[in-house]
Amino acid sequence: MQMPAVNECQVDACAYNTDHSCHALAITVGNSTHAECETFFRVSTKGGDPSATGHVGACKMSNCQHNVQFECQASGIVVGYAQKDIDCLTYAPA
């Protein structure tokens, strides 16, 4: 199984975001009730592997149509703002 890529991250304030690209090796999505990016955090420096594209390592949103046994099956995802929250915008309720 291939981990889906984070095709775009619209959250410039994230430590792993550089030029709308996620550079965390793997992110976690969801807290079982909300499709938030749980890997997001804010610091003054940038982190992650600058040569890597972020991927979805785990998804706790069992009610998403892309979720099979807590693994994301989407071809790729977009992370961005849903009001004040930083969410997986690819999330689709089953």
Side-chain angles (χ1 to χ4, degrees):
M1 171 189 293
Q2 296 248 355
M3 293 189 302
V6 179
N7 291 332
E8 179 183 6
C9 178
Q10 302 167 358
V11 186
D12 294 326
C14 182
Y16 291 110
N17 183 317
T18 302
D19 298 325
H20 290 256
S21 294
C22 178
H23 296 285
L25 294 179
I27 69 167
T28 299
V29 173
N31 62 13
S32 76
T33 59
H34 188 78
E36 67 189 7
C37 177
E38 289 200 332
T39 308
F40 166 80
F41 74 103
R42 188 182 316 243
V43 294
S44 61
T45 59
K46 293 295 182 178
D49 181 346
S51 67
T53 298
H55 288 81
V56 180
C59 179
K60 300 176 188 176
M61 300 303 298
S62 62
N63 67 335
C64 179
Q65 63 182 303
H66 303 293
N67 188 309
V68 175
Q69 297 177 324
F70 301 106
E71 301 293 343
C72 181
Q73 304 297 309
S75 57
I77 71 162
V78 174
V79 174
Y81 292 98
Q83 297 168 10
K84 294 181 183 179
D85 298 316
I86 296 150
D87 288 357
C88 173
L89 301 181
T90 309
Y91 167 76

